[in-house]
Amino acid sequence: MMEKVPMTAIGYAALEVELKQRQSVERPRIIEHIAEARSHGDLSENAEYHAAKEEQSHNEGRIANSRTSSRVPTSSTSQNSPATPSSSAPPSR
């Protein structure tokens, strides 16, 4: 089972913005670069093509990671404030 990691509301919002940016702007731009590099001919010695494919791999990995991270339920987010000690916690010394 995936471990839940606390996330602030601000962090969650930033993650959502990054996900949308990568899906709607970066992904189409990278696809365009791959298509342009393919038009240059032999792919086995085409550095531009390999660089675009590597960039695509990185972007898709970040998208997958963002999707996984953003599945944390809203109730697990903190409000960017310091934690208050629980009344059931042992006293600190």
Side-chain angles (χ1 to χ4, degrees):
M1 184 171 185
M2 188 174 84
E3 180 183 338
K4 291 184 180 179
V5 178
M7 183 182 303
T8 65
I10 294 168
Y12 183 83
L15 196 60
E16 289 293 314
V17 167
E18 178 186 1
L19 179 60
K20 288 178 184 172
Q21 168 75 15
R22 289 189 175 278
Q23 289 176 319
S24 63
V25 177
E26 294 299 317
R27 184 182 276 164
R29 181 185 61 78
I30 293 168
I31 291 170
E32 188 176 303
H33 283 175
I34 291 170
E36 181 182 329
R38 274 190 182 145
S39 71
H40 295 166
D42 184 15
L43 299 181
S44 65
E45 296 181 12
N46 188 333
E48 186 179 341
Y49 172 78
H50 292 288
K53 290 296 282 184
E54 186 174 324
E55 184 179 11
Q56 181 185 38
S57 176
H58 174 75
N59 190 58
E60 293 302 319
R62 288 291 297 160
I63 288 171
N65 186 40
S66 295
R67 283 182 178 161
T68 302
S69 297
S70 67
R71 287 189 183 139
V72 175
T74 307
S75 61
S76 294
T77 61
S78 69
Q79 295 301 317
N80 209 14
S81 61
T84 56
S86 170
S87 60
S88 62
S92 59
R93 293 180 184 177

